[in-house]
Amino acid sequence: MNPNNAGGYDQKSPPPPMMQMPMPTVQCPPPAGAVPGQWTTGLCGCFEDPSNCIITCCCPCITFGQNAEIIDRGGTSCVVGGLIYYLLAHVGVACLYTCSYRTKLRGLHSLQEDPCADCLVHWCCIYCALCQEYRELKNCGFDPSIGWVANAEKMNKGAATMPPMTQGMGR
């Protein structure tokens, strides 16, 4: 290490590479008793997760940002998604943006467009829709409140703890 270098590494050496988190592919298995292709909770089941219901009622940009980060697999940060929601809500068109994430979520988990078109659900019941999407992500094993990186680490740790495949003893 060069003592004259305040950066902590020799200027001739490149900085250490950033660790990239592999994006696990997650197929959401329906919970026991659920019908494949259908939402695991109803649109009006907001009180199944009371804390998320309260957060969504007081500040829907938080719930939307958390959902968007998980649905986009980290491509949209919680802060950016929430800020876009906040700005669009002030001109009354947030539902035009948020409904696209409902469509993405349905595509990722093969869910039906229920009870009606995604844009109509978000236009009429945006708070209920955001809560339902949050619950769906939770029921698929994600925790939207901790962000994509923490969820990916949790899933990768789960995959790393699986016992290695061993072959029979050779002679």
Side-chain angles (χ1 to χ4, degrees):
M1 186 177 316
N2 184 349
N4 296 328
N5 180 9
Y9 59 88
D10 190 359
Q11 290 182 359
K12 294 178 184 175
S13 305
M18 295 285 293
M19 294 289 291
Q20 289 212 339
M21 188 65 58
M23 290 210 271
T25 56
V26 177
Q27 195 64 287
C28 181
V35 179
Q38 292 193 357
W39 294 85
T40 57
T41 63
L43 182 62
C44 297
C46 298
F47 294 111
E48 291 176 25
D49 187 344
S51 61
N52 177 253
C53 180
I54 291 168
I55 289 170
T56 304
C57 285
C58 295
C59 196
C61 56
I62 291 174
T63 300
F64 174 73
Q66 292 172 340
N67 290 351
E69 184 171 351
I70 301 300
I71 293 168
D72 275 348
R73 310 247 190 256
T76 300
S77 77
C78 177
V79 174
V80 170
L83 181 62
I84 292 171
Y85 175 93
Y86 179 80
L87 295 172
L88 291 174
H90 281 288
V91 292
V93 295
C95 63
L96 298 177
Y97 180 60
T98 60
C99 72
S100 67
Y101 280 87
R102 185 176 182 88
T103 303
K104 287 180 189 180
L105 177 63
R106 284 189 319 92
L108 288 171
H109 301 288
S110 303
L111 299 168
Q112 294 177 352
E113 194 170 29
D114 189 45
C116 54
D118 296 336
C119 283
L120 193 54
V121 169
H122 274 257
W123 178 263
C124 297
C125 311
I126 194 165
Y127 297 139
C128 294
L130 292 174
C131 286
Q132 182 188 33
E133 293 154 15
Y134 185 93
R135 290 189 312 275
E136 191 69 29
L137 290 169
K138 284 191 83 153
N139 291 341
C140 286
F142 293 104
D143 182 356
S145 66
I146 63 173
W148 172 251
V149 172
N151 276 285
E153 286 174 354
K154 185 172 75 171
M155 286 183 275
N156 287 334
K157 246 184 231 176
T161 59
M162 292 182 62
M165 300 273 298
T166 58
Q167 295 181 355
M169 298 284 286
R171 291 188 181 152

